[in-house]
Amino acid sequence: MNLNELVNRNKEYTKHGNVANYIPELSKANPNCLGVAVAKCGESVIAAGDSNIKFTIQSISKPLILIMALLDYGEEIVFSKVGKEPTGDSFNSIRRLETINEFTKPYNPMINAGAIAISSLIKGKSNNEKIERILNFIRKLSNNNDIKINMDVYLSEKRTGNKNRAMAYFLKDIGILEGDVEEILDLYFMHCSIEADIIDLANIARVLACAGKDPLTNEVIIPRRIVQIVNTLMTTCGMYDESGEFAVNVGLPSKSGVGGGIMTVVPGKMGIAVYAPALDKKGNSVAGVKLLEDISNEYNLSIY
Amino acid sequence: MNLNELVNRNKEYTKHGNVANYIPELSKANPNCLGVAVAKCGESVIAAGDSNIKFTIQSISKPLILIMALLDYGEEIVFSKVGKEPTGDSFNSIRRLETINEFTKPYNPMINAGAIAISSLIKGKSNNEKIERILNFIRKLSNNNDIKINMDVYLSEKRTGNKNRAMAYFLKDIGILEGDVEEILDLYFMHCSIEADIIDLANIARVLACAGKDPLTNEVIIPRRIVQIVNTLMTTCGMYDESGEFAVNVGLPSKSGVGGGIMTVVPGKMGIAVYAPALDKKGNSVAGVKLLEDISNEYNLSIY
Amino acid sequence: MNLNELVNRNKEYTKHGNVANYIPELSKANPNCLGVAVAKCGESVIAAGDSNIKFTIQSISKPLILIMALLDYGEEIVFSKVGKEPTGDSFNSIRRLETINEFTKPYNPMINAGAIAISSLIKGKSNNEKIERILNFIRKLSNNNDIKINMDVYLSEKRTGNKNRAMAYFLKDIGILEGDVEEILDLYFMHCSIEADIIDLANIARVLACAGKDPLTNEVIIPRRIVQIVNTLMTTCGMYDESGEFAVNVGLPSKSGVGGGIMTVVPGKMGIAVYAPALDKKGNSVAGVKLLEDISNEYNLSIY
Amino acid sequence: MNLNELVNRNKEYTKHGNVANYIPELSKANPNCLGVAVAKCGESVIAAGDSNIKFTIQSISKPLILIMALLDYGEEIVFSKVGKEPTGDSFNSIRRLETINEFTKPYNPMINAGAIAISSLIKGKSNNEKIERILNFIRKLSNNNDIKINMDVYLSEKRTGNKNRAMAYFLKDIGILEGDVEEILDLYFMHCSIEADIIDLANIARVLACAGKDPLTNEVIIPRRIVQIVNTLMTTCGMYDESGEFAVNVGLPSKSGVGGGIMTVVPGKMGIAVYAPALDKKGNSVAGVKLLEDISNEYNLSIY
């Protein structure tokens, strides 16, 4: 089956799940949409279904700012602030921060607490400079200079993000965050509100698939070690507390966002992105996950 | 033995434990102090040891604002915001807020999360009016018009209180707090920073011991039902996660504060207050607890 | 109002809640029953409602074997095996045993894990001798030589008690239990299955109310210190994770059992027992609690 | 570098960590040992270091009995008893079993609770028949007919395995286990005590690497779907609560055992096994993990 057929076959799953509503702006999305884009190493991007809809990348920003923090500060400092272990808990759970163990830090950079910690490790003299650096990095990875923030979503998140605020103050209290908490949160809300379409995300995923290289110039944008770290963490922690199930059924490093997107890396082969905004209880796109299962099986892509 | 002898016998325990230092201003207290005041129903207050030192009441404000909230809003509304159950966890623990159960609210008003919720239930048009009402209520209970806030401690708490801030934003997120979070926190930090001595606290405890009546005028300041609620919650939850041990060994409704004070009610008989700022790991005054054990045993005061 | 009127007024509450069914034998109880017995110090027992129904005491055995363990081994050894703190968790919760803290032991002797630990501290060469000692102690306290075990309930508990078995093996693993686990469990299931009526339990409670003395001979059966310990722990932990609510509304040391009984101590005054087998979700008798609230309010009995 | 050089370079790490001692028999292992075996698809096994030492496979039996259960009962029944999610908790943690969520079952088959559940799904009329089937399956996978149980270790585990016993009775209580608990535990202790060397384990891993096929006959021993499930679960959960860190640094499906072995799959390429019995705090072989990191980096084997 080709991509169009696979999209059609999974269209029915868009009826399941619900569009995110805890961030009011997100509830305006059309739950009937389903689209996929595939960017093979060395080929043009192809797409099927609703491929030109813009949505906010939300948690898909987490692996991207992790890459920047690793480039800015190096592995040792970054992993003194967050761990590398999956948690089994939901993405916005706070309780594990209170667990006494050998370290007291967020378990990994793919949950909210970890991504807030990572947000404090982006270099820049001001939040303006930091978000501009993030946007430019994503523009380069996606080969799209028009990438920008959706201001309505950003303001909606900032207004209602009290659970993230709770986490950030907790992290401040246990010494994980340096700098002003509200400023770090502001940067976090901004990069979650970056807008893209699946073509953009497939392009970004392709860089991670092709050993960190720009597909046109072959320039190394992301060093091999960082590619490996990020692909690994997307595999073990990228789909929230559904990462294990997803790994069994799809078997590819992926990161979902509550905006409805999923960015998927097929190491050595291609980048994939899907979009379908109705989410399951864990926060993952229902139809998006189903479509990725079909794609993985049809083209035999699982890394296991 | 009389009070002086009991103070002397327990003086050695002031060498154990440590003065609170997570609020920087509190670390300036003199760990060698030990004092006790006793206010019997219908008699003058008597005191022994260091009885004229002023200290911030900290968590001892929790039962007092609970009384005000019960007077302002009634039992039903107050206990829709907090429970009545001890937790077994430390006073600033956040994890239980995340537990899914029949209610999702702080377990009781004697832990920080509960007291922050209660702080949102004090009537007043502004924080100024609210804190003035709290101060006036405490002035009346203590029969001391000079009760006021220690501004250095207040500012110190406000600056460093990020764990409380985390809890407050969490409570906002789960719908427990109405109104502005920072304003509610500000009121919380202010009433924790109210300054008193053990004479004042013994006077307040006497009102709770004598069925809520003003010892001079016999006016009912606190209705019987509210006295019973507050005395009960001080018994089951007043000494943090040491309440059970304390109940076995002292057997009296009590509330401690990390400033080093403990306010104790002997129902039907008297109010007691002790002061000794070096704390054990749970946050209770080491020598203060020991002295109360001796007093309870010597005069056979346990309610059990 | 007199006792009969109070029973009649609370009769309607027998329609709420459910008879325990996780121990199959218990599900045979008649949910319409409600009875109360009062044993004042120095007076004859009086009763109202269904006062002659025999039921298994279940968790009401917990304070009784605690007394025996304190008599057999002393305070220090007993409280090296269990703590004195309420937990906020349900009576058969296991997770807190895994919590890393200054001690690793059951939080108190009124939850199952704690009572299993206490069961290992009853002296005797064999289980036969141990249960005979327990029975004789309860016969003496209740002034009823016919107290015995309900064998059907005992065998039913033994067959289905896998959660208690899980706890016991966990306690063995962390070094709390000495001796054979199955034998300790067997003793635990036996003393839970001891049968009594509310007259018996009111008699037992009277001993705890009257400073540990036999009401006829004035002989000290339980030393004052042990009376105080047990009354305190019944107050803070005796009604499972509803102890706080119960303390506010009734304000008396009490222990409930899933058989439907509640034993209540009014220090210095009287023993009370109620029976109504339909339980709320926490495991306490619905109508029994309501009746105790009325009795406490009507006769102004709260200790606070 | 070749295998011998890599073994020599990592020899120093055998000085770190400790041989397991909670199972008394395991404490007799020689902590200085280090060995590795590599079985490429279509080639002879090669080995370096201490390659002929027999040790018990312990948790490495978990993926193997999972395969058998999937063959015996199919995916649906197996995953009605265990989940597929990593937990972030240690391998013998019990608390998550008590968590109320959409399912109440062990989070995955690579932790003890999950493997005990899986042990109940091995077909056979008696434990003798079941363990004989397990042994025969492992003999076939390892191409070694001499595989057998170490009776001393088995009896040692059976005698001291009270935490596993606690878990099994808990699982019985929540309805996960059918059949006799002690019998299921007995089978669990037996398959944990199966003895092998790294040549055997490399042979087994090769079958998982080569799409489930017997390397000699090309017969499909394990269907592709089951290979994918098992390789995935070894990746996300196979190294206990160090799986995330290991995935970043080695990036290969692996399962460790407290006997000191690690079995590693390089999908499409080869099976690897290492042995070094001194363990880190999480229960993984210190030198074994280090050696695998070197091998993965030297030969560029990470799947990410």
Side-chain angles (χ1 to χ4, degrees):
Chain A
M1 269 193 268
N2 65 26
L3 280 186
N4 276 313
E5 290 166 323
L6 291 171
V7 167
N8 286 338
R9 194 162 85 176
N10 285 284
K11 192 81 182 176
E12 58 164 320
Y13 290 110
T14 59
K15 292 176 198 142
H16 298 86
N18 292 99
V19 169
N21 57 10
Y22 70 98
I23 303 168
E25 274 296 308
L26 295 186
S27 65
K28 300 178 180 168
N30 175 357
N32 301 318
C33 291
L34 177 63
V36 59
V38 173
K40 293 196 185 165
C41 299
E43 298 184 20
S44 307
V45 182
I46 56 173
D50 303 296
S51 62
N52 62 350
I53 295 168
K54 294 218 164 295
F55 53 91
T56 53
I57 62 174
Q58 298 296 333
S59 293
I60 303 174
S61 65
K62 286 169 181 164
L64 308 179
I65 60 158
L66 173 61
I67 297 169
M68 287 193 72
L70 286 165
L71 289 168
D72 279 2
Y73 283 95
E75 217 174 307
E76 196 178 345
I77 287 177
V78 166
F79 290 110
S80 71
K81 301 290 189 186
V82 297
K84 299 168 189 161
E85 298 303 325
T87 68
D89 303 320
S90 73
F91 64 88
N92 59 3
S93 179
I94 198 167
R95 80 182 72 184
R96 206 175 273 268
L97 291 176
E98 207 171 87
T99 305
I100 296 153
N101 52 18
E102 80 268 40
F103 55 71
T104 301
K105 58 185 177 189
Y107 259 49
N108 68 66
M110 299 296 149
I111 52 173
N112 291 17
I116 291 168
I118 294 297
S119 297
S120 74
L121 293 177
I122 303 299
K123 286 196 173 164
K125 283 186 198 122
S126 65
N127 259 2
N128 273 351
E129 191 178 317
K130 289 176 190 179
I131 191 64
E132 206 49 51
R133 287 190 65 226
I134 294 173
L135 283 166
N136 282 332
F137 184 63
I138 295 180
R139 286 165 187 152
K140 183 167 191 181
L141 290 172
S142 64
N143 197 25
N144 177 357
N145 279 322
D146 295 334
I147 296 285
K148 60 178 197 297
I149 289 168
N150 180 322
M151 290 305 288
D152 291 336
V153 173
Y154 157 63
L155 292 171
S156 187
E157 296 206 27
K158 187 176 167 124
R159 203 164 42 237
T160 59
N162 287 314
K163 204 156 189 183
N164 288 322
R165 202 163 263 119
M167 269 180 226
Y169 281 108
F170 199 101
L171 291 173
K172 182 72 179 177
D173 186 70
I174 61 174
I176 295 291
L177 293 191
E178 280 162 52
D180 182 75
V181 173
E182 291 294 339
E183 244 185 80
I184 294 166
L185 276 168
D186 212 37
L187 187 64
Y188 175 80
F189 293 136
M190 281 193 273
H191 66 67
C192 285
S193 305
I194 290 172
E195 215 170 43
D197 60 25
I198 50 175
I199 311 281
D200 298 322
L201 294 180
N203 271 322
I204 297 173
R206 173 160 55 183
V207 178
L208 287 163
C210 305
K213 291 181 187 161
D214 185 308
L216 302 173
T217 65
N218 239 15
E219 174 205 358
V220 172
I221 308 180
I222 311 168
R224 182 73 189 93
R225 170 71 182 167
I226 294 181
V227 169
Q228 188 175 326
I229 290 171
V230 173
N231 283 349
T232 305
L233 287 167
M234 286 202 291
T235 302
T236 52
C237 318
M239 301 298 285
Y240 310 129
D241 45 331
E242 211 169 79
S243 297
E245 175 90 19
F246 183 89
V248 165
N249 292 330
V250 177
L252 294 169
S254 300
K255 186 73 205 77
S256 68
V258 293
I262 305 175
M263 178 178 83
T264 295
V265 174
V266 189
K269 294 184 184 152
M270 67 188 89
I272 304 176
V274 297
Y275 172 67
L279 310 177
D280 63 22
K281 282 179 189 165
K282 306 285 181 85
N284 294 314
S285 167
V286 177
V289 167
K290 283 290 178 188
L291 179 53
L292 285 168
E293 281 182 29
D294 264 9
I295 292 172
S296 176
N297 287 327
E298 184 74 15
Y299 305 120
N300 199 19
L301 299 177
S302 167
I303 57 177
Y304 302 109
Chain B
M1 268 194 267
N2 66 26
L3 280 187
N4 277 311
E5 289 166 324
L6 290 172
V7 167
N8 286 337
R9 195 164 83 175
N10 285 286
K11 192 81 183 176
E12 58 164 321
Y13 290 109
T14 60
K15 290 176 198 144
H16 298 87
N18 291 98
V19 169
N21 58 11
Y22 70 97
I23 303 167
E25 274 297 308
L26 294 185
S27 65
K28 299 177 179 170
N30 175 358
N32 301 317
C33 291
L34 178 62
V36 59
V38 172
K40 293 195 186 168
C41 298
E43 297 186 19
S44 307
V45 183
I46 56 172
D50 303 297
S51 61
N52 62 349
I53 296 169
K54 295 216 163 298
F55 53 92
T56 53
I57 63 173
Q58 299 295 335
S59 294
I60 302 173
S61 65
K62 286 169 180 160
L64 308 179
I65 59 157
L66 172 61
I67 297 169
M68 287 193 73
L70 286 165
L71 290 167
D72 279 3
Y73 284 94
E75 219 174 303
E76 196 179 344
I77 288 178
V78 166
F79 292 112
S80 71
K81 301 290 189 184
V82 298
K84 300 168 188 161
E85 298 303 324
T87 68
D89 302 320
S90 74
F91 63 86
N92 60 3
S93 180
I94 198 166
R95 79 180 74 184
R96 205 174 273 267
L97 292 177
E98 207 171 84
T99 304
I100 296 154
N101 52 19
E102 78 269 41
F103 53 73
T104 300
K105 57 186 178 189
Y107 258 50
N108 68 66
M110 299 295 150
I111 53 174
N112 291 17
I116 290 168
I118 295 297
S119 297
S120 75
L121 293 177
I122 303 299
K123 286 195 172 163
K125 283 186 198 124
S126 65
N127 259 0
N128 272 352
E129 192 179 315
K130 290 175 189 180
I131 191 65
E132 205 50 48
R133 287 189 65 225
I134 294 173
L135 283 167
N136 282 333
F137 184 63
I138 296 181
R139 284 165 188 151
K140 183 166 190 181
L141 290 173
S142 65
N143 196 26
N144 177 355
N145 281 321
D146 295 336
I147 296 287
K148 61 178 196 299
I149 288 168
N150 180 321
M151 289 305 288
D152 291 335
V153 172
Y154 157 62
L155 292 171
S156 188
E157 296 206 26
K158 188 176 166 125
R159 204 165 41 239
T160 59
N162 288 314
K163 205 157 188 181
N164 288 322
R165 202 163 264 120
M167 269 180 225
Y169 280 108
F170 199 101
L171 292 173
K172 182 73 180 178
D173 186 70
I174 61 174
I176 295 292
L177 293 191
E178 280 161 52
D180 182 76
V181 174
E182 291 293 338
E183 243 184 83
I184 295 166
L185 276 168
D186 211 36
L187 186 65
Y188 176 80
F189 293 137
M190 280 193 273
H191 68 65
C192 285
S193 305
I194 289 172
E195 213 169 45
D197 61 26
I198 50 176
I199 311 279
D200 300 322
L201 293 180
N203 272 321
I204 296 172
R206 172 160 56 183
V207 178
L208 287 164
C210 305
K213 292 181 187 162
D214 184 308
L216 302 174
T217 65
N218 239 17
E219 176 206 357
V220 173
I221 309 180
I222 311 169
R224 183 71 189 92
R225 170 70 183 169
I226 294 181
V227 168
Q228 189 175 325
I229 291 171
V230 173
N231 283 350
T232 306
L233 287 167
M234 288 203 291
T235 302
T236 51
C237 319
M239 302 299 284
Y240 310 128
D241 44 331
E242 209 169 83
S243 298
E245 174 91 19
F246 183 89
V248 166
N249 292 330
V250 177
L252 293 168
S254 300
K255 187 72 206 78
S256 68
V258 294
I262 304 175
M263 178 178 83
T264 295
V265 174
V266 189
K269 294 184 182 152
M270 68 188 89
I272 304 176
V274 297
Y275 173 66
L279 309 177
D280 62 23
K281 281 177 190 168
K282 306 284 181 85
N284 294 315
S285 166
V286 177
V289 168
K290 283 290 178 188
L291 180 52
L292 284 169
E293 281 181 28
D294 264 10
I295 291 172
S296 176
N297 288 327
E298 185 75 15
Y299 305 120
N300 199 20
L301 300 178
S302 167
I303 57 177
Y304 302 108
Chain C
M1 269 193 268
N2 65 26
L3 280 187
N4 277 312
E5 290 167 322
L6 291 172
V7 166
N8 287 337
R9 195 163 84 176
N10 286 285
K11 192 82 182 178
E12 58 164 319
Y13 291 109
T14 60
K15 291 175 199 145
H16 298 86
N18 291 99
V19 169
N21 58 11
Y22 70 99
I23 303 168
E25 274 297 307
L26 294 185
S27 64
K28 301 178 179 169
N30 175 357
N32 301 317
C33 292
L34 177 63
V36 60
V38 172
K40 292 195 186 168
C41 300
E43 297 184 19
S44 307
V45 182
I46 55 172
D50 304 296
S51 61
N52 61 350
I53 296 168
K54 295 218 164 295
F55 53 92
T56 53
I57 63 174
Q58 298 296 334
S59 294
I60 303 174
S61 66
K62 286 169 181 164
L64 308 179
I65 59 158
L66 173 62
I67 296 170
M68 287 193 73
L70 285 165
L71 290 168
D72 279 3
Y73 283 94
E75 219 175 305
E76 197 179 343
I77 287 178
V78 166
F79 291 110
S80 72
K81 302 290 190 186
V82 297
K84 299 168 189 160
E85 298 302 325
T87 69
D89 302 320
S90 73
F91 63 88
N92 59 4
S93 179
I94 199 166
R95 79 182 73 183
R96 205 174 272 268
L97 292 176
E98 207 172 87
T99 305
I100 296 154
N101 52 18
E102 80 268 43
F103 54 71
T104 300
K105 58 185 178 190
Y107 259 49
N108 68 66
M110 299 296 150
I111 52 174
N112 290 17
I116 291 169
I118 294 297
S119 297
S120 75
L121 293 177
I122 303 300
K123 286 195 172 164
K125 282 186 197 122
S126 64
N127 259 1
N128 273 352
E129 191 178 317
K130 288 176 190 179
I131 191 65
E132 205 49 50
R133 288 189 64 227
I134 294 173
L135 283 166
N136 281 333
F137 185 62
I138 294 180
R139 285 165 187 153
K140 183 167 190 181
L141 290 172
S142 64
N143 196 27
N144 177 357
N145 279 321
D146 296 333
I147 296 285
K148 61 179 196 298
I149 289 169
N150 179 322
M151 290 305 289
D152 291 335
V153 173
Y154 157 63
L155 292 171
S156 188
E157 297 207 26
K158 186 174 167 125
R159 204 164 42 238
T160 59
N162 288 315
K163 203 155 189 184
N164 287 322
R165 203 163 263 118
M167 271 181 223
Y169 281 107
F170 199 101
L171 291 173
K172 182 72 179 179
D173 186 71
I174 62 174
I176 294 292
L177 293 190
E178 280 161 53
D180 182 75
V181 173
E182 291 293 339
E183 243 184 82
I184 294 166
L185 276 168
D186 212 37
L187 186 65
Y188 176 80
F189 294 136
M190 281 194 272
H191 67 66
C192 285
S193 306
I194 289 172
E195 213 169 45
D197 59 25
I198 51 175
I199 312 280
D200 299 323
L201 293 181
N203 272 322
I204 297 173
R206 172 160 56 184
V207 179
L208 287 163
C210 305
K213 291 180 187 162
D214 184 309
L216 302 173
T217 65
N218 240 14
E219 175 206 358
V220 173
I221 308 179
I222 312 168
R224 182 72 189 92
R225 170 69 183 168
I226 294 181
V227 169
Q228 189 174 326
I229 291 171
V230 173
N231 284 350
T232 306
L233 287 167
M234 287 202 291
T235 303
T236 51
C237 318
M239 302 299 284
Y240 311 128
D241 44 332
E242 210 170 81
S243 298
E245 175 90 19
F246 184 88
V248 165
N249 292 331
V250 179
L252 293 168
S254 300
K255 186 73 206 77
S256 68
V258 293
I262 305 175
M263 178 178 83
T264 295
V265 174
V266 189
K269 294 184 184 153
M270 67 188 87
I272 303 176
V274 297
Y275 172 67
L279 310 177
D280 62 21
K281 281 179 190 166
K282 306 285 182 85
N284 295 314
S285 167
V286 177
V289 168
K290 283 290 178 188
L291 179 53
L292 285 169
E293 282 181 30
D294 264 9
I295 292 172
S296 176
N297 288 327
E298 185 74 15
Y299 305 120
N300 200 19
L301 300 178
S302 166
I303 57 177
Y304 302 108
Chain D
M1 268 193 269
N2 65 27
L3 280 186
N4 277 312
E5 289 166 324
L6 291 172
V7 167
N8 287 337
R9 194 163 84 175
N10 286 284
K11 192 84 183 176
E12 59 165 319
Y13 290 110
T14 60
K15 291 175 198 143
H16 298 87
N18 291 100
V19 169
N21 58 12
Y22 70 98
I23 304 167
E25 274 297 308
L26 294 186
S27 65
K28 299 177 179 168
N30 175 358
N32 301 318
C33 291
L34 179 62
V36 60
V38 173
K40 292 194 187 168
C41 298
E43 297 186 20
S44 307
V45 182
I46 56 172
D50 303 297
S51 61
N52 60 351
I53 295 169
K54 294 215 163 299
F55 53 92
T56 52
I57 62 173
Q58 298 296 334
S59 294
I60 302 173
S61 64
K62 285 169 182 161
L64 307 179
I65 58 157
L66 172 61
I67 297 170
M68 287 193 73
L70 286 166
L71 289 168
D72 279 2
Y73 284 94
E75 218 174 305
E76 196 179 345
I77 288 178
V78 166
F79 291 111
S80 72
K81 302 290 190 185
V82 298
K84 300 169 188 160
E85 298 303 323
T87 68
D89 302 321
S90 74
F91 63 88
N92 59 3
S93 180
I94 198 168
R95 79 181 74 183
R96 206 175 273 266
L97 291 177
E98 208 171 85
T99 305
I100 296 154
N101 52 19
E102 80 269 42
F103 52 73
T104 300
K105 57 186 179 188
Y107 259 51
N108 69 66
M110 299 294 150
I111 53 174
N112 291 17
I116 290 168
I118 294 298
S119 298
S120 75
L121 293 177
I122 303 299
K123 287 196 172 162
K125 284 187 197 119
S126 66
N127 259 1
N128 271 352
E129 192 179 316
K130 290 176 189 179
I131 191 65
E132 204 51 48
R133 287 189 66 226
I134 294 174
L135 283 167
N136 281 333
F137 185 62
I138 296 181
R139 284 166 188 150
K140 183 167 191 181
L141 290 173
S142 65
N143 196 24
N144 178 355
N145 280 321
D146 295 336
I147 296 286
K148 61 178 197 297
I149 288 168
N150 180 319
M151 289 305 287
D152 290 336
V153 172
Y154 157 62
L155 292 171
S156 188
E157 296 206 28
K158 189 177 166 120
R159 204 165 41 238
T160 59
N162 288 314
K163 205 157 188 182
N164 287 322
R165 202 164 263 118
M167 269 179 227
Y169 280 108
F170 199 101
L171 291 174
K172 181 73 180 178
D173 186 70
I174 60 174
I176 295 291
L177 293 191
E178 281 161 52
D180 182 75
V181 174
E182 290 293 339
E183 243 184 82
I184 294 166
L185 276 167
D186 212 36
L187 186 66
Y188 176 80
F189 293 137
M190 280 194 273
H191 68 64
C192 285
S193 304
I194 290 172
E195 214 169 44
D197 61 25
I198 50 175
I199 311 281
D200 300 323
L201 293 181
N203 272 321
I204 297 172
R206 172 161 55 183
V207 178
L208 287 164
C210 305
K213 292 180 187 162
D214 184 309
L216 301 174
T217 65
N218 239 15
E219 175 205 359
V220 172
I221 308 179
I222 311 169
R224 183 71 188 92
R225 171 71 183 168
I226 294 180
V227 168
Q228 189 175 325
I229 290 171
V230 173
N231 283 351
T232 306
L233 287 166
M234 287 203 291
T235 302
T236 51
C237 319
M239 302 298 285
Y240 310 129
D241 44 331
E242 210 170 81
S243 298
E245 175 90 20
F246 183 88
V248 165
N249 292 331
V250 177
L252 294 168
S254 300
K255 186 71 205 80
S256 68
V258 293
I262 304 175
M263 178 177 83
T264 295
V265 174
V266 189
K269 295 184 182 153
M270 68 188 87
I272 304 176
V274 297
Y275 173 67
L279 310 177
D280 62 23
K281 281 178 190 167
K282 306 284 180 83
N284 294 315
S285 166
V286 177
V289 168
K290 283 290 179 189
L291 180 53
L292 285 168
E293 282 181 29
D294 264 10
I295 291 172
S296 176
N297 288 327
E298 186 75 15
Y299 306 120
N300 199 19
L301 300 177
S302 168
I303 57 178
Y304 302 108

